[in-house]
Amino acid sequence: MGGELVLPGRKWVSWLGNVLGGGDPLEGLKRVLGFQVRSSGAPGPLTLKEVEELEQLTQQLMQDMEHPQRQNVAVSESCGRCHQPLARAQPAVRALGQLFHITCFTCHQCEQQLQGQQFYSVEGAPYCEGCYTDTLEKCNTCGQPITDRMLRATGKAYHPQCFTCVVCACPLEGTSFIVDQANRPHCVPDYHKQYAPRCSVCAEPIMPEPGREETVRVVALDKNFHMKCYKCEDCGKALSIEADDNGCFPLDGHVLCRKCHTARTQT
Ligand SMILES: [Zn+2]
Ligand SMILES: [Zn+2]
Ligand SMILES: [Zn+2]
Ligand SMILES: [Zn+2]
Ligand SMILES: [Zn+2]
Ligand SMILES: [Zn+2]
């Protein structure tokens, strides 16, 4: 038995490594106990008295640490994915109201680790940003995923700002629109301009006035007419749509009033 012993530092390296997060074990002890060690480098030889003091302080530290350690062990937390217990010295991720092993906290779709990354919860499962985006519906107009508000019309999904008239591109959200046979949305004026029957006199579409829902279309001799365009071809007299004396008296496909009809038949 000599006067000096070598401090058995190894044991403390691992032990303090867990408790204090690594580093020089003697520095760690110093931080915890305010204990003065002789050298700041590798643990050097100490006197027996110093070793005794150190061991006594270590014992005390062990006791102080035992209590919280036991408590931590009693709270048996397990990984939300693999359901294996989480060792308390092991780094863990807290997310979605659960704890996970870092290696267990992965994207539900592509399995990449999500620790320290932006992730999204889809029905309680974590997704990386890319896979989350893939789960989103795509806009029928621009093809981009819809992350915010979605407008559903004609059975398809749209960004509200992408649901526009295919002719004039005016926004259709919250207004009336009409779809054509290919299910493409049109504002009401453009739909009528494109698809409304045309007047056989002026060739303009027969469509409601702005702000009106309906219009009157006169059909005569298999042709369409605006109300205002339905008049005698010869004298310009407005014709009644009733089958009375002021109505149309057609002759060889011509729209005539009664008087002009009679005049033409007499020449
Ligand atoms: Zn796990
Ligand atoms: Zn993913
Ligand atoms: Zn869009
Ligand atoms: Zn339009
Ligand atoms: Zn007309
Ligand atoms: Zn006439």
Side-chain angles (χ1 to χ4, degrees):
M1 224 202 249
E4 288 187 348
L5 290 173
V6 175
L7 180 72
R10 265 275 157 239
K11 193 174 134 212
W12 292 336
V13 172
S14 57
W15 183 73
L16 285 170
N18 284 344
V19 176
L20 300 171
D24 176 15
L26 289 178
E27 281 299 309
L29 267 184
K30 214 163 68 170
R31 272 208 306 277
V32 175
L33 304 172
F35 183 75
Q36 296 297 312
V37 287
R38 223 181 341 190
S39 81
S40 58
L46 300 181
T47 64
L48 184 57
K49 186 167 176 290
E50 282 173 321
V51 170
E52 277 169 5
E53 276 177 6
L54 185 55
E55 289 209 300
Q56 198 190 335
L57 286 165
T58 306
Q59 285 296 317
Q60 202 180 316
L61 177 62
M62 294 276 260
Q63 274 164 20
D64 287 349
M65 289 302 207
E66 256 169 26
H67 190 58
Q69 268 181 339
R70 274 213 201 99
Q71 269 198 342
N72 276 340
V73 170
V75 180
S76 62
E77 290 202 82
S78 57
C79 171
R81 177 80 178 276
C82 70
H83 305 295
Q84 298 299 306
L86 289 148
R88 66 182 293 278
Q90 216 173 356
V93 186
R94 183 175 290 282
L96 305 169
Q98 291 174 297
L99 281 171
F100 298 88
H101 295 115
I102 284 187
T103 50
C104 288
F105 189 60
T106 55
C107 171
H108 192 70
Q109 189 66 40
C110 73
E111 304 264 287
Q112 70 161 297
Q113 283 189 26
L114 294 175
Q115 190 248 338
Q117 280 197 52
Q118 172 96 341
F119 72 93
Y120 298 83
S121 168
V122 180
E123 289 163 9
Y127 281 74
C128 72
E129 183 148 28
C131 292
Y132 168 72
T133 302
D134 290 345
T135 68
L136 297 172
E137 278 201 77
K138 309 288 182 296
C139 171
N140 189 54
T141 302
C142 73
Q144 293 302 306
I146 304 169
T147 54
D148 195 11
R149 278 195 317 132
M150 179 196 295
L151 187 150
R152 199 174 276 288
T154 67
K156 300 205 174 78
Y158 298 89
H159 293 115
Q161 70 274 18
C162 289
F163 187 61
T164 54
C165 169
V166 294
V167 178
C168 72
C170 71
L172 294 177
E173 188 192 7
T175 71
S176 346
F177 64 93
I178 304 173
V179 296
D180 62 12
Q181 296 235 320
N183 228 7
R184 298 181 310 157
H186 294 67
C187 67
V188 173
D190 278 330
Y191 180 84
H192 286 308
K193 264 181 227 155
Q194 209 150 351
Y195 297 103
R198 298 212 168 236
C199 171
S200 64
V201 176
C202 70
E204 289 297 316
I206 302 169
M207 56 188 268
E209 298 293 312
R212 293 291 199 83
E213 290 279 302
E214 292 180 341
T215 190
V216 176
R217 170 171 61 128
V218 181
V219 181
L221 309 176
D222 287 332
K223 292 184 222 165
N224 296 303
F225 301 86
H226 288 115
M227 191 71 192
K228 64 176 167 37
C229 296
Y230 189 54
K231 50 196 183 185
C232 171
E233 286 178 29
D234 285 358
C235 72
K237 182 192 168 193
L239 298 175
S240 162
I241 54 173
E242 308 293 335
D244 57 20
D245 262 8
N246 296 317
C248 177
F249 289 79
L251 182 69
D252 303 329
H254 292 284
V255 175
L256 301 170
C257 70
R258 181 184 179 146
K259 221 175 80 193
C260 295
H261 174 103
T262 310
R264 281 206 193 194
T265 51
Q266 285 171 353
T267 52

